[in-house]
Amino acid sequence: MKTEVAIITITKVIEGPTMTAATPDEVDCQQRQLVCIDDSGYIERVINESDDDFSAVKRDAEQNDRLLTLKSNEYLLPGFIDLHVHAPQWPNAGVALDRPLNEWLDTYTFPMEAKYKDVGFAKRVYDDLVGELLANGTTTVLYFGSVDNPANLELAKACVNHNQRGFIGKVAMDNPDQTPENYRDASAQSAVDDTERFIQQIDRLNQTSPIKQTAVITPRFVPSCTPESLKGLGELAKKYDLPVQSHCSESDWENGYALEHYHKRDAEVLDEYGLLTDKSVMAHGTLLTQADLDTFKARGVAVAHCPISNVYFGNAVLPVSKLLQQQVKIGLGTDISGGYSPSIYQNIRQAVMSSRMLNDGVNSELAPAQRGTNYPPISAKNGFYLATVGGAKSLHLKTGQIKARYLADLQVVKSPLKSFEDESLDQIFEKIMYHASKADVKQVFVQGRLAKTSNN
């Protein structure tokens, strides 16, 4: 009996300098490589200029019109992974960030999300949002949708249409004491049933979609859900072996709610209902205790660090270096619209700044020895790791690095500043991390498919 051997066809070869995270502290920068992408959207080989067949592979790709040679000031990076976006909040990005979290939710956020009963409105917003995130170099996004499934399906369709990989959750929120009458699930059972229906809708959509979307179990957070809905959602997560997303230890108010109503920390409540698994991503975590982190590590739970949003609503700074040292999974999220910017580049910068302020301290009335903390600040290299490898590990995706057999999720980025003398690739990398904007992201590929291009 003959064994069939799959024939790999190279559909694109990208030639140019590459930058990819090797470890949390190291970035591998290469001056000239060939990144060979196969017909399934994976990187088949990465060929160094010193390899014997470099010239032959390049020549073959050129002759068959499969070669993309980057310009002299362009660099190939992995696409970014955004672990926390509230898709329906996009029209409110930057609005009312000076208000307390519970007031911001009740006055601005819930009324906005309630508008997504209008599917036409949802379609317009989501088409714009997905395009904007791709334009910023973001190839995979973990999305909170809204309560309403027709709108959530429009979000999934927007991801398919734009060639973005989406992890999308129907938001469950059934607690009448903490959610508005016009924007909540009718009951715990309906929250669970509608979540299961959305899972089935995504399965049907994936039958004809080249880039698969993933349904995510999404209890908004402990205050918004009853024990009955939390229990049912935990059972769904186990039944379908799906990712889970929520907020955890985000603010004094949210943390205090769990302590008052359950006499437990919110991490303990979520764990009790089976919502902390190795496929769970919990946003913010600024107030996580060491016991919480021990639980996260034991369960394999990831943290979505949202540094811009945390400035406004987190009530503390997440000690990123502590999580890295303890090998708790962690990536980056923009948290639109609690975070005003759709750019992961901006969030890398804020993550570095916030970590320095945590280390140095902010109260000038204290003596220097008392002012800060023992948590070391992170670097731009650490932030880049979170935005790529950290996000990929959090979602169990083989992407986030420019390596053979990894998904070809890539961004072509123009160096944002003019060079006046010879610079090392490490220096150029840091300039990109601190200066790049949407205008500098020239092309984006998701699973080898062109998702965004710019001629500027």
Side-chain angles (χ1 to χ4, degrees):
M1 183 176 178
K2 291 184 178 180
T3 301
E4 292 188 7
V5 178
I7 298 174
I8 297 173
T9 303
I10 300 301
T11 59
K12 186 179 296 295
V13 176
I14 303 177
E15 177 190 18
T18 63
M19 299 174 173
T20 189
T23 72
D25 301 304
E26 298 172 324
V27 175
D28 182 13
C29 298
Q30 297 293 329
Q31 187 62 58
R32 192 180 181 205
Q33 290 185 315
L34 298 177
V35 179
C36 304
I37 302 170
D38 68 22
D39 54 3
S40 61
Y42 282 79
I43 298 170
E44 197 273 331
R45 287 184 67 193
V46 179
I47 304 175
N48 295 316
E49 192 172 12
S50 59
D51 291 343
D52 292 341
D53 59 348
F54 182 94
S55 296
V57 171
K58 177 184 174 181
R59 184 168 55 252
D60 179 75
E62 198 167 20
Q63 289 173 350
N64 290 282
D65 197 27
R66 291 195 291 261
L67 182 67
L68 170 63
T69 299
L70 303 190
K71 296 176 182 178
S72 60
N73 60 349
E74 292 180 343
Y75 300 84
L76 189 67
L77 282 65
F80 288 149
I81 298 169
D82 191 332
L83 289 181
H84 193 51
V85 171
H86 287 273
Q89 295 177 21
W90 176 228
N92 272 355
V95 172
L97 296 179
D98 58 330
R99 310 312 304 158
L101 177 59
N102 54 329
E103 181 182 329
W104 177 82
L105 287 169
D106 292 337
T107 306
Y108 301 93
T109 302
F110 290 153
M112 172 56 69
E113 292 192 16
K115 293 181 180 179
Y116 288 78
K117 289 180 174 62
D118 180 348
V119 175
F121 179 71
K123 188 172 183 177
R124 292 194 303 274
V125 173
Y126 292 154
D127 180 71
D128 185 76
L129 170 63
V130 174
E132 181 71 20
L133 290 167
L134 280 164
N136 279 279
T138 301
T139 50
T140 299
V141 182
L142 180 55
Y143 287 109
F144 272 61
S146 67
V147 167
D148 300 292
N149 273 343
N152 296 328
L153 189 58
E154 288 302 324
L155 176 56
K157 289 178 180 177
C159 291
V160 171
N161 292 339
H162 285 275
N163 289 319
Q164 186 184 69
R165 186 179 301 103
F167 287 69
I168 302 162
K170 173 259 182 290
V171 169
M173 41 189 285
D174 67 312
N175 183 359
D177 294 334
Q178 292 295 324
T179 55
E181 186 175 356
N182 70 329
Y183 185 62
R184 73 167 75 112
D185 291 295
S187 66
Q189 191 60 53
S190 68
V192 174
D193 290 346
D194 283 349
T195 298
E196 188 160 26
R197 272 189 283 272
F198 183 63
I199 294 168
Q200 295 161 354
Q201 288 176 315
I202 292 295
D203 284 343
R204 287 193 291 272
L205 181 67
N206 282 338
Q207 292 173 12
T208 57
S209 302
I211 295 177
K212 306 305 180 189
Q213 310 301 309
T214 301
V216 183
I217 307 302
T218 308
R220 189 177 199 110
F221 58 176
V222 169
S224 292
C225 297
T226 61
E228 292 77 17
S229 65
L230 293 174
K231 180 176 182 292
L233 293 169
E235 291 169 351
L236 273 187
K238 183 177 181 180
K239 176 180 177 180
Y240 289 96
D241 191 27
L242 284 174
V244 178
Q245 63 179 339
S246 190
H247 304 78
C248 190
S249 297
E250 174 184 5
S251 66
D252 291 324
W253 169 74
E254 182 227 350
N255 199 50
Y257 181 92
L259 292 171
E260 179 183 351
H261 290 82
Y262 290 87
H263 309 294
K264 297 176 181 178
R265 295 185 54 76
D266 58 354
E268 294 176 285
V269 176
L270 293 167
D271 192 35
E272 178 182 340
Y273 291 111
L275 293 163
L276 296 187
T277 75
D278 71 341
K279 290 188 174 181
S280 295
V281 179
M282 295 292 122
H284 306 293
T286 54
L287 300 176
L288 291 169
T289 64
Q290 185 58 56
D292 295 332
L293 291 177
D294 291 342
T295 299
F296 275 31
K297 184 173 182 181
R299 304 284 187 270
V301 177
V303 174
H305 178 37
C306 307
I308 291 179
S309 172
N310 289 348
V311 169
Y312 296 99
F313 298 126
N315 298 134
V317 175
L318 180 72
V320 174
S321 57
K322 178 181 179 181
L323 273 66
L324 288 172
Q325 288 168 1
Q326 296 187 13
Q327 297 182 327
V328 175
K329 290 189 296 188
I330 179 171
L332 283 180
T334 57
D335 192 25
I336 292 167
S337 68
Y340 58 81
S341 173
S343 168
I344 289 289
Y345 285 105
Q346 289 275 49
N347 279 274
I348 289 172
R349 294 161 202 158
Q350 184 61 55
V352 174
M353 288 188 287
S354 292
S355 75
R356 296 197 70 86
M357 296 175 77
L358 179 66
N359 180 252
D360 291 343
V362 296
N363 187 352
S364 63
E365 295 180 1
L366 297 176
Q370 300 174 311
R371 196 178 301 149
T373 69
N374 293 323
Y375 304 122
I378 65 170
S379 67
K381 291 180 178 179
N382 299 142
F384 180 58
Y385 174 88
L386 298 184
T388 54
V389 180
K393 288 185 174 181
S394 299
L395 295 177
H396 295 264
L397 288 172
K398 199 164 186 182
T399 189
Q401 291 177 288
I402 302 175
K403 292 174 65 173
R405 303 316 306 152
Y406 276 60
L407 285 161
D409 299 340
L410 305 164
Q411 54 178 317
V412 176
V413 183
K414 176 181 173 291
S415 180
L417 296 181
K418 185 176 180 179
S419 295
F420 296 96
E421 57 184 0
D422 289 341
E423 293 180 323
S424 69
L425 285 177
D426 279 349
Q427 289 174 312
I428 295 170
F429 165 79
E430 292 197 331
K431 286 188 173 184
I432 289 174
M433 289 301 106
Y434 282 110
H435 292 280
S437 67
K438 179 173 69 172
D440 301 306
V441 179
K442 297 304 177 184
Q443 288 181 293
V444 176
F445 298 89
V446 183
Q447 208 163 311
R449 291 172 169 264
L450 183 63
K452 181 254 183 179
T453 188
S454 170
N455 296 318
N456 295 334

